[in-house]
Amino acid sequence: MECKHYEKLLSPYLENSLSLDERKAVKAHLDICQDCRSLLGFMQETIKSLSDFPEVEVTHDLFNRLRQIPEKKNRFKLRFDFLLRPSLQPVFAAATILLTLFSFYAFNPNRDQINRSVNRQMHLGFSKIEKLYARAESFTDSLGEYKDDIMVSLKNLNPLSGDE
Amino acid sequence: MLVNIHSKRIFNLAYQFSGSYQAAEDLTQEIFLKLYYSLPKFDINKNFNAWLMTLSKNYLIDQYRKKKLENASRDEFNEHLLVSDTYKGPEEGILEKENKKMIWKGFDHLSPDIRMAVILKDIQEKKYDEIAEIMSLPLGTVKSRVSRGRLLLAKTLKEKKEKSNGM
């Protein structure tokens, strides 16, 4: 318990940053505690070894790769910067929705069923359109038939001729 | 220009922190990429070196947590890479290399925040107030982290030496 307390003070003890009283207390403990004295020695060795860790050289290959980073960044900026414009956000949103729908279709295990259902719906749609077209033709035919009768009636009904 | 001046310092920080040469190369590239994107945000009234070190420190600790580097072990202490410049006689040289190997592996036992504080203080030999600025921490917290890191490394060294001496 006592050693735990003094262990924490070993680093500031080596740096001479303890108060006079604390320093005296640590020194007194070290005089009687072999373990803490040994630990202090290992701490001194540790600090010495760390300060002597030589620097690693950057390889030529890494150096070149680092120098190319700004060029790559600028190239990207010139070519693709327009993609980051806020005005393109709705386009990206629409593209995302389309992609989601496409992937839902493309990776759906019941794709054949979906194809059949789509074909049936399209077929029904086409037949409805054909029916409408036929009805429109018959309507124009009947209008043609009535046209002659209407013209005859208008001629007979000469509005300038009489008291009627 | 930036690469010429700062690449060695950043690469060394990444290597000392991650312990892996390959990872350090990747991390250095990522830090420089981040640096180029963050440059417009830099306040010219501030200290650029401290700002760059803060950016690097944040990136390294983030990546350490994201990529679960705590489970990855450090490279073997490479004598070709970390060979000391100064020759101190055969016996002393061997002892020091052994110590360095044990301490290098001992970094595995330090949490990223403590590891970073020890690297900045004892390997890169920065002052406490510089480290406090880089790590955006109060001076007392930095001192406490360095002290805890040194203690853990000293205990690891002691344990390994006692084991190798058969005690």
Side-chain angles (χ1 to χ4, degrees), chain A residues 3-4 6-12 14-15 17 34-74 76-77, chain B residues 1 3-4 7-9 11-12 15-16 21 24-26 28-30 32-33 36-37 77 81-86 88 92 96 99-101 103-104 107 118 121-123 125 128 143 146-147 150-151 153-155 157-158 161-162:
Chain A
C3 286
K4 286 268 175 214
Y6 286 107
E7 279 176 0
K8 289 176 190 168
L9 300 175
L10 292 181
S11 172
L14 287 174
E15 290 179 333
S17 58
Q34 167 64 31
D35 279 348
C36 286
R37 217 167 38 243
S38 154
L39 195 58
L40 182 75
F42 281 111
M43 191 177 280
Q44 280 174 313
E45 278 186 48
T46 303
I47 295 168
K48 188 175 174 297
S49 293
L50 287 170
S51 68
D52 205 26
F53 263 48
E55 287 189 308
V56 189
E57 290 299 327
V58 177
T59 59
H60 193 63
D61 180 44
L62 175 64
F63 193 75
N64 283 337
R65 274 184 278 156
L66 293 176
R67 290 185 71 136
Q68 282 166 7
I69 290 174
E71 288 173 25
K72 279 183 191 166
K73 186 192 160 238
N74 287 338
F76 175 84
K77 205 176 178 182
Chain B
M1 187 71 175
V3 174
N4 293 351
S7 58
K8 192 174 174 182
R9 198 151 46 99
F11 180 63
N12 273 280
Y15 184 46
Q16 287 149 4
Y21 198 82
E25 285 200 334
D26 295 342
T28 307
Q29 286 190 84
E30 288 157 16
F32 268 88
L33 194 63
Y36 287 120
Y37 278 105
F77 184 84
L81 287 168
L82 295 169
V83 69
S84 181
D85 301 335
T86 47
K88 292 167 182 167
E92 198 182 359
E96 280 194 9
N99 280 357
K100 281 178 190 165
K101 273 186 192 178
I103 292 165
W104 178 252
F107 273 109
V118 173
K121 177 67 188 147
D122 288 334
I123 303 183
E125 297 183 329
Y128 278 121
K143 284 184 179 175
V146 171
S147 170
R150 283 172 174 173
L151 186 61
L153 288 176
K155 281 185 174 175
L157 185 63
K158 185 182 177 194
K161 277 203 162 179
E162 284 174 355

Side-chain angles (χ1 to χ4, degrees), chain A residues 3-127:
Chain A
C3 286
K4 286 268 175 214
H5 169 70
Y6 286 107
E7 279 176 0
K8 289 176 190 168
L9 300 175
L10 292 181
S11 172
Y13 176 78
L14 287 174
E15 290 179 333
N16 262 332
S17 58
L18 292 174
S19 68
L20 198 63
D21 287 344
E22 280 176 323
R23 192 167 176 78
K24 273 184 187 169
V26 174
K27 208 166 180 325
H29 178 76
L30 289 172
D31 285 342
I32 56 161
C33 180
Q34 167 64 31
D35 279 348
C36 286
R37 217 167 38 243
S38 154
L39 195 58
L40 182 75
F42 281 111
M43 191 177 280
Q44 280 174 313
E45 278 186 48
T46 303
I47 295 168
K48 188 175 174 297
S49 293
L50 287 170
S51 68
D52 205 26
F53 263 48
E55 287 189 308
V56 189
E57 290 299 327
V58 177
T59 59
H60 193 63
D61 180 44
L62 175 64
F63 193 75
N64 283 337
R65 274 184 278 156
L66 293 176
R67 290 185 71 136
Q68 282 166 7
I69 290 174
E71 288 173 25
K72 279 183 191 166
K73 186 192 160 238
N74 287 338
R75 229 179 292 154
F76 175 84
K77 205 176 178 182
L78 284 173
R79 283 186 195 165
F80 303 109
D81 210 24
F82 70 95
L83 289 173
L84 304 174
R85 282 186 210 155
S87 57
L88 284 176
Q89 278 178 1
V91 178
F92 288 136
T96 310
I97 292 167
L98 280 173
L99 269 174
T100 312
L101 288 173
F102 174 75
S103 57
F104 172 76
Y105 166 74
F107 301 108
N108 198 314
N110 302 322
R111 204 166 70 179
D112 291 339
Q113 269 185 340
I114 294 174
N115 282 341
R116 274 200 296 276
S117 167
V118 170
N119 281 339
R120 197 168 53 239
Q121 291 297 329
M122 281 177 72
H123 188 75
L124 283 172
F126 276 126
S127 65

Side-chain angles (χ1 to χ4, degrees), chain A residues 145-158:
Chain A
E145 281 170 18
Y146 287 125
K147 191 180 91 180
D148 295 337
D149 293 345
I150 291 166
M151 291 306 285
V152 171
S153 306
L154 280 172
K155 274 178 189 169
N156 292 340
L157 195 77
N158 190 357

Side-chain angles (χ1 to χ4, degrees), chain A residues 129-143:
Chain A
I129 289 167
E130 276 175 352
K131 276 178 193 167
L132 280 171
Y133 204 69
R135 281 175 68 186
E137 272 185 348
S138 68
F139 183 66
T140 47
D141 287 349
S142 53
L143 267 180

